[in-house]
Amino acid sequence: MRVLSKDTVDAIESLKKRYPTTLACTLPALHLAQKQLGFLSEDAEHDVAEVLDVPPARVHEVVTFYTMFHDHKVGRHVVKICRNLACQLRGADKVIAHAEKVLGIKCGETTADGRVTLEHEECLAACGTAPMLWHGMPGDGGSPGNETFVENLTEEKLEKFLRGLS
Amino acid sequence: MTNAADWAPKGFEQTLSKRWFVSDGWTYAGYVRDGGYEALRKCLGMQPDEIIDQVKKSNLRGRGGAGFPTGMKWGFVPKESKVPKYLVINADESEPGTYKDRYILSRDPHLLLEGCAIGAKAIGANKIYIYIRGEFGLPYRRIQHAVKEAYEKGIFGDSSMGSGYRIDCVVHRGAGAYICGEETALLESLEGKIGRPRLKPPFPAVKGAFAGPTSVNNVETIACVPLIFSRGVDWFLKQGSPGNGGPKLMCVSGHVERPGIYEIPNGYPANKFLELCGGVWKGRKLKGIQPGGSSTPVLKPQPCKALAPEGAPEHAWPLETDTPLDFDNVKKAGSMFGSAGMMVFDENTCMVRSLLTLANFYAHESCGQCTPCREGTGWVAKILYKLEHGEGTDADIAKLMSATDYMMGMTICVLADSIAMPVKSFFDKYRDEFMDHVRNKKCSFGDYAVEPTPYNFWEDATAERAS
């Protein structure tokens, strides 16, 4: 293994009994790898492919297709703000502009201290509590699924949330 | 805390959403206290044919968007199969405007699991995959917890409720791709590949997950199944309209006083539904609604002949936005009921800007497999950007229309149609607004202010704090 820890490899191994093929473990395995590493480098893809005994190209295409997988280093916190229609009708454009102002970066960028990566997001199925954002910590080592929504955003609530991220 | 009765028509008994308002409604103990898993016990003693027959009689139709009869879908799965059969639950909720499944997963997950077990028994599958949207945090934690409880309590495992029938259930997380809500793209993604829709036939009922016969069903559809067996087919039929059985979860967003999820009988009139939501906010006028999510044609408050009784004079025609909310009537009104994600636009909404936002979304989410979609969605977005920013010309409008002509019905899945149809309907019904953008060389509508709802009951954070 180039970069995956023994714990991650064991966790991926234990996925295999859930599916009739090892290829089907690709998405959950990548979620686990990203939890350990924070992002998915070529070495990480190589390791996942080795554990699953599938061609590395299979893993690489999956990493590049899905928006939750990062193929380059991102901030400790990833904050994605919904810009889709239901949120826009409730002021998402201003919320996004305010987040960019507070953090001093544009969507798609990471703060210089590596604290926060800010991104646009498309609809996250919280249209009744718009505007909203999604928060995740890709490399926190925890189990996948620790992500949270922050809903019914105002500019004040957003600012307090962003400043509270350590 | 909010009042459950505020989120349904007066006197209508909530069944799909009633446990959302109970603090431990999402636990096994809470579910069983309310009579949970009794429908499964009944079904485990029935023949698969009998179960499918009851579901057919109930007129339950798929809640994911297409409205296909669920009993018929299950009936397509062959009884004998040399390879394993699968029940796959589509919990990849991502149609803009739609957010009902998120609450079933996080606030009443055992209702879904009971429906899953009944469905597995009906089609003869021993394995269930719940494909849940990767971005979901709380819904994922809650459904994982519920599956663990269900194994501990013998709902899942070698002998479901002591019946001798084996049921296994795996929760599978997606990783962020709208297209994986399309059933064959979802199967590709479940198999560990990029989410590109498959050519049909073969249909999933013949060759689905891992090349085995598979039924793919939406979360809300499956959550309706236990009700058919606990309350009976007659009760279920009475909760709906002809051909559209059962209660319906309506997601409403945009410019209403009280956005949220409402449980209504199928066939409830849209104008009365808007009243239930407190009406258009701030006393403003209604400009239009998308009744079933972002991909459904827009309805305008204008007279609609198709909804009127035969031979009715024009002054007596109902408005498009008065349509009864079920698959058949919304179609008559010129749109689709889709996944019941209703977005409401007030008179101050710029329809060009709204359409541009949707077009950007579809351009972003096209999987790139079919040229008319990959290129078409991009062109539609570019042209709408020009129009909204005052750079559009008459020629651009002609180009926009011809682009949609080349997109509709030309691709493997309906993602291209899902933006082409709104483009056509927005332009047909709000033509003046589009022309004004060209003529004035600018958008005359102001910025939208930040205005969240006061209903924190619907937030994940509130649900998590209460547990």
Side-chain angles (χ1 to χ4, degrees):
Chain A
M1 289 300 121
R2 294 178 185 172
V3 285
L4 286 190
S5 68
K6 186 173 178 307
D7 283 354
T8 305
V9 172
D10 289 348
I12 295 173
E13 285 289 349
S14 75
L15 293 169
K16 288 183 180 172
K17 61 179 184 297
R18 299 185 190 174
Y19 304 92
T21 65
T22 57
L23 182 63
C25 304
T26 307
L27 268 67
L30 289 171
H31 278 301
L32 289 167
Q34 188 162 277
K35 272 291 170 188
Q36 184 208 320
L37 302 161
F39 74 106
L40 298 163
S41 61
E42 224 177 281
D43 285 342
E45 290 173 4
H46 169 274
D47 284 357
V48 168
E50 193 175 308
V51 181
L52 300 181
D53 193 24
V54 297
R58 280 289 198 185
V59 177
H60 182 66
E61 67 172 359
V62 167
V63 170
T64 55
F65 185 82
Y66 296 92
T67 56
M68 284 181 78
F69 296 136
H70 304 288
D71 60 4
H72 57 275
K73 194 166 166 41
V74 291
R76 259 195 317 287
H77 300 272
V78 175
V79 173
K80 301 181 178 194
I81 307 182
C82 177
R83 64 169 173 189
N84 212 297
L85 185 50
C87 279
Q88 183 181 50
L89 295 174
R90 291 264 174 175
D93 293 345
K94 284 214 166 101
V95 169
I96 292 168
H98 194 66
E100 290 181 336
K101 199 177 117 199
V102 170
L103 295 171
I105 52 172
K106 293 281 173 204
C107 279
E109 296 175 353
T110 302
T111 53
D113 58 3
R115 193 169 61 93
V116 184
T117 295
L118 183 67
E119 289 178 3
H120 294 124
E121 183 54 280
E122 298 297 353
C123 186
L124 283 157
C127 315
T129 44
M132 61 84 66
L133 65 78
W134 177 95
H135 169 249
M137 295 179 75
D140 66 358
S143 62
N146 293 344
E147 295 77 8
T148 50
F149 285 3
V150 185
E151 298 161 78
N152 284 321
L153 289 174
T154 57
E155 281 154 324
E156 297 73 38
K157 188 173 173 181
L158 170 78
E159 190 161 340
K160 197 171 158 224
F161 175 79
L162 290 176
R163 296 206 189 280
L165 298 175
S166 54
Chain B
M1 200 56 193
T2 191
N3 216 339
D6 292 346
W7 305 95
K10 210 169 168 17
F12 183 73
E13 185 200 357
Q14 287 142 294
T15 44
L16 283 170
S17 57
K18 73 174 175 188
R19 265 178 307 279
W20 300 358
F21 301 88
V22 182
S23 60
D24 69 346
W26 59 281
T27 63
Y28 178 83
Y31 189 62
V32 168
R33 186 186 59 224
D34 290 339
Y37 288 115
E38 286 310 310
L40 173 62
R41 191 185 302 281
K42 206 187 280 180
C43 290
L44 288 168
M46 289 165 70
Q47 291 301 315
D49 279 348
E50 287 176 75
I51 301 174
I52 293 177
D53 192 48
Q54 296 283 302
V55 175
K56 278 183 183 163
K57 283 189 181 134
S58 76
N59 284 343
L60 172 62
R61 293 170 67 172
R63 307 297 200 227
F68 194 80
T70 307
M72 199 186 287
K73 193 178 216 178
W74 287 357
F76 290 153
V77 177
K79 278 178 200 54
E80 302 299 328
S81 172
K82 285 184 184 136
V83 288
K85 295 190 260 188
Y86 299 99
L87 176 67
V88 175
I89 306 304
N90 185 344
D92 191 53
E93 181 167 57
S94 29
E95 173 79 1
T98 310
Y99 53 101
K100 60 196 174 59
D101 298 343
R102 184 161 71 88
Y103 291 102
I104 296 175
L105 292 160
S106 59
R107 302 190 186 203
D108 199 357
H110 282 284
L111 180 67
L112 173 66
L113 295 187
E114 184 171 15
C116 285
I118 296 172
K121 167 81 183 177
I123 63 167
N126 297 110
K127 186 109 184 189
I128 300 159
Y129 286 106
I130 299 175
Y131 185 104
I132 186 171
R133 186 164 180 190
E135 289 94 341
F136 280 176
L138 180 68
Y140 176 72
R141 297 191 282 280
R142 288 279 177 87
I143 194 75
Q144 276 285 46
H145 181 267
V147 168
K148 191 167 152 267
E149 279 187 314
Y151 268 105
E152 285 164 9
K153 303 291 179 186
I155 303 297
F156 294 145
D158 288 339
S159 173
S160 179
M161 298 185 94
S163 65
Y165 192 77
R166 184 169 64 80
I167 304 177
D168 282 308
C169 181
V170 170
V171 181
H172 183 93
R173 286 178 89 214
Y178 168 74
I179 191 60
C180 293
E182 196 278 343
E183 64 173 1
T184 60
L186 183 148
L187 295 173
E188 288 286 295
S189 181
L190 174 65
E191 292 179 9
K193 301 174 218 163
I194 61 178
R196 282 188 174 158
R198 296 173 181 172
L199 271 172
K200 294 189 267 193
F203 287 89
V206 178
K207 214 171 173 187
F210 309 105
T214 303
S215 179
V216 184
N217 295 102
N218 170 262
V219 168
E220 185 190 352
T221 313
I222 294 296
C224 283
V225 169
L227 303 176
I228 297 170
F229 295 93
S230 59
R231 303 285 188 121
V233 169
D234 290 338
W235 173 88
F236 196 82
L237 287 168
K238 267 192 224 123
Q239 300 300 101
S241 55
N244 293 268
K248 184 75 197 83
L249 296 173
M250 281 299 300
C251 324
V252 63
S253 58
H255 298 153
V256 293
E257 287 289 346
R258 299 193 319 131
I261 304 260
Y262 294 77
E263 185 168 343
I264 60 167
N266 256 310
Y268 196 73
N271 51 336
K272 278 177 73 185
F273 177 68
L274 280 177
E275 281 170 33
L276 196 61
C277 305
V280 178
W281 70 352
K282 304 174 184 185
R284 289 185 194 157
K285 285 205 192 76
L286 177 66
K287 183 176 270 188
I289 57 174
Q290 279 188 293
S294 65
S295 58
T296 61
V298 65
L299 297 176
K300 191 179 176 182
Q302 64 184 13
C304 175
K305 190 180 180 187
L307 287 174
E310 183 109 9
E314 192 167 345
H315 63 82
W317 292 354
L319 304 178
E320 282 179 8
T321 48
D322 294 345
T323 176
L325 293 167
D326 63 35
F327 288 110
D328 302 320
N329 280 296
V330 177
K331 195 171 169 192
K332 264 198 231 164
S335 186
M336 294 186 312
F337 198 27
S339 48
M342 182 187 282
M343 287 194 273
V344 180
F345 311 115
D346 75 10
E347 56 188 320
N348 294 350
T349 311
C350 173
M351 297 308 262
V352 179
R353 191 184 306 165
S354 297
L355 191 58
L356 168 62
T357 301
L358 294 181
N360 281 335
F361 166 67
Y362 287 98
H364 182 263
E365 298 298 338
S366 173
C367 80
Q369 184 170 210
C370 308
T371 312
C373 175
R374 183 184 64 240
E375 303 300 321
T377 51
W379 276 103
V380 165
K382 274 181 211 156
I383 296 168
L384 286 167
Y385 181 91
K386 281 181 74 182
L387 287 170
E388 171 64 6
H389 292 85
E391 301 155 16
T393 61
D394 290 332
D396 285 321
I397 290 192
K399 218 180 284 166
L400 183 64
M401 291 301 116
S402 90
T404 56
D405 287 339
Y406 285 110
M407 290 162 74
M408 288 180 69
M410 303 287 186
T411 49
I412 291 174
C413 83
V414 295
L415 191 137
D417 302 65
S418 298
I419 183 60
M421 287 186 301
V423 168
K424 278 188 185 298
S425 70
F426 273 65
F427 183 69
D428 278 352
K429 291 176 186 174
Y430 304 94
R431 186 179 299 244
D432 290 349
E433 256 182 55
F434 284 78
M435 299 326 273
D436 281 349
H437 278 73
V438 174
R439 207 173 305 125
N440 303 333
K441 300 207 174 302
K442 66 175 172 96
C443 172
S444 317
F445 293 89
D447 291 343
Y448 304 144
V450 182
E451 296 182 78
T453 81
Y455 300 102
N456 63 8
F457 166 76
W458 294 109
E459 295 174 21
D460 275 3
T462 310
E464 202 143 39
R465 260 198 307 275
S467 62

